Amino acid sequence: MVHEVKHLLHLENVYQSYGSKLILDNIDLTVSAGELCTVVGPSGCGKSTLLRLIVGQEQPHSGTVLIEGKSVGIPDKRRGIVYQKYSLFPHLTVLENILLGKRLTLGSFEWRKQKRQISEEALEFLKKVHLQEHRNKYPHELSGGMQQRVSIVQTLIMKPDIVLMDEPFGALDPETREQLQIFLLELWENHPMTIFFVTHDLMEAVYLGTRILVLSHYYSDDRGHAPEVRRGARIVADYPLERVASSTTIKSSKVFTDLVQQIRKEGFDPKSTTHVSAFNLKHKDSFQTLTPEEHAP
Ligand SMILES: Nc1ncnc2c1ncn2[C@@H]1O[C@H](COP(=O)(O)OP(=O)(O)O)[C@@H](O)[C@H]1O
Ligand SMILES: [Mg+2]
């Protein structure tokens, strides 16, 4: 291993393919605890695939995926995940949905012992997301934005080391989406946690992140363009972002729109030919292992 393991998340030389199609191509990535890391890239480039490898729902074709220095293995409590579609059970109330994870993992004896304390904690969380008075409602009685807030609480109450989110606001209307972006920032500011947030929405990624990773298959390297060359997505840019304020007015500032423009060019333009040796890997945790085929020394 090239890099010493001191990060919450550590991926090195990770490849994933489906059949003959190479999706992820030599992914190197470390994430420090406390970061709100956003991952952005064109639709179909492999963002969800990357998340599945981190959750442990899938094993990489090759390469290393570690959480706190340990192999990810199968999905467990260390990783919480929030999907785009609501993960709530329709026949359970808001409160029951939130308690379900604890109830299932504790076993009936521990559950009975801790039920009161866990229920109190659940109510605290519900208060924070302004859903306290809706605790006895069923999911169909809530709006999409409310359901998604319940899903987030459902994940957070399990106290995962890392919260993985796959386009969690993708199904919401623009106004609700913006409200939930602010809500997520407030949660993250008040509860130290590590978030790995995947989206194809560039504005959302730049707005939310303390770090933005751009995953894309639009780049060049020394492997050439022969038909047999298979090229998958890799991290083509990696920036630290300044967390200024939770105000959304920042989205219309010049610094913000310039960065969005630059990332659009780097990650979303099929004609982009930035060479692997010239990627904008500016974040302090960024590293890159190039093979001789990718970049002749
Ligand atoms: N289980 C699978 N079997 C075959 N192909 C898959 C599978 N999962 C994803 N793919 C393909 O891998 C590519 C990346 O998919 P995905 O990770 O979902 O992209 P993104 O989340 O960036 O939109 C897509 O071309 C998709 O069709
Ligand atoms: Mg996806």
Side-chain angles (χ1 to χ4, degrees):
M1 188 122 341
V2 180
H3 291 256
E4 149 192 22
V5 177
K6 55 174 187 204
H7 295 95
L8 180 61
L9 188 63
H10 183 121
L11 278 75
E12 191 161 335
N13 303 325
V14 169
Y15 292 82
Q16 185 65 324
S17 43
Y18 299 119
S20 63
K21 196 168 171 209
L22 182 61
I23 308 294
L24 298 177
D25 198 340
N26 199 359
I27 302 288
D28 297 316
L29 167 69
T30 53
V31 176
S32 299
E35 200 100 54
L36 202 175
C37 209
T38 55
V39 182
V40 73
S43 251
C45 75
K47 300 181 295 298
S48 296
T49 303
L50 180 62
L51 269 200
R52 285 198 298 273
L53 297 181
I54 297 172
V55 178
Q57 284 170 334
E58 229 174 75
Q59 303 306 309
H61 185 262
S62 63
T64 309
V65 184
L66 305 173
I67 292 185
E68 289 178 321
K70 291 191 224 77
S71 185
V72 286
I74 55 167
D76 66 23
K77 288 195 297 180
R78 288 184 292 165
R79 289 145 287 163
I81 187 152
V82 180
Y83 297 101
Q84 176 174 339
K85 286 297 275 297
Y86 325 125
S87 55
L88 306 178
F89 286 98
H91 61 287
L92 297 180
T93 65
V94 166
L95 187 60
E96 287 165 348
N97 262 292
I98 289 171
L99 295 175
L100 186 66
K102 283 283 188 188
R103 215 177 88 197
L104 293 179
T105 49
L106 282 178
S108 57
F109 179 72
E110 277 302 310
W111 168 247
R112 274 200 303 276
K113 229 167 77 182
Q114 298 184 36
K115 184 176 175 187
R116 174 186 282 270
Q117 180 229 323
I118 294 168
S119 302
E120 272 165 24
E121 191 179 15
L123 287 172
E124 273 308 301
F125 266 108
L126 279 175
K127 209 188 283 178
K128 284 196 183 92
V129 302
H130 311 297
L131 286 174
Q132 204 187 2
E133 67 274 30
H134 301 286
R135 62 184 176 276
N136 295 321
K137 288 193 177 159
Y138 289 88
H140 75 268
E141 300 176 276
L142 306 178
S143 70
M146 290 158 99
Q147 292 188 43
Q148 204 57 338
R149 276 183 280 163
V150 176
S151 299
I152 293 171
V153 170
Q154 198 181 40
T155 301
L156 294 186
I157 200 155
M158 301 305 287
K159 311 257 167 58
D161 296 335
I162 182 162
V163 181
L164 302 152
M165 305 181 117
D166 194 353
E167 313 258 5
F169 307 148
L172 305 172
D173 62 83
E175 203 178 311
T176 310
R177 186 174 191 144
E178 195 150 81
Q179 281 168 6
L180 282 210
Q181 289 170 355
I182 296 167
F183 156 72
L184 184 70
L185 284 178
E186 283 171 0
L187 265 187
W188 176 81
E189 272 159 14
N190 296 321
H191 299 260
M193 58 178 150
T194 311
I195 301 179
F196 200 75
F197 186 107
V198 161
T199 177
H200 68 270
D201 184 327
L202 241 171
M203 299 270 278
E204 180 167 82
V206 175
Y207 177 63
L208 288 178
T210 55
R211 174 182 185 183
I212 186 166
L213 294 151
V214 186
L215 189 72
S216 175
H217 42 282
Y218 304 134
Y219 60 87
S220 71
D221 56 30
D222 294 348
R223 288 178 287 186
H225 290 278
E228 68 275 13
V229 174
R230 299 190 302 145
R231 198 176 272 117
R234 55 194 301 152
I235 294 165
V236 303
D238 183 357
Y239 299 95
L241 296 171
E242 223 170 298
R243 262 273 56 81
V244 204
S246 47
S247 162
T248 52
T249 53
I250 180 125
K251 290 183 184 178
S252 47
S253 74
K254 181 158 165 40
V255 183
F256 189 94
T257 51
D258 283 354
L259 184 57
V260 166
Q261 270 314 102
Q262 184 181 340
I263 295 174
R264 185 166 286 133
K265 234 171 42 204
E266 284 172 324
F268 291 75
D269 182 0
K271 294 192 291 291
S272 170
T273 51
T274 310
H275 191 267
V276 279
S277 60
F279 288 162
N280 250 326
L281 303 175
K282 293 222 169 83
H283 193 277
K284 63 174 171 42
D285 288 338
S286 202
F287 75 104
Q288 193 186 37
T289 59
L290 292 176
T291 64
E293 291 75 33
E294 288 163 355
H295 181 41

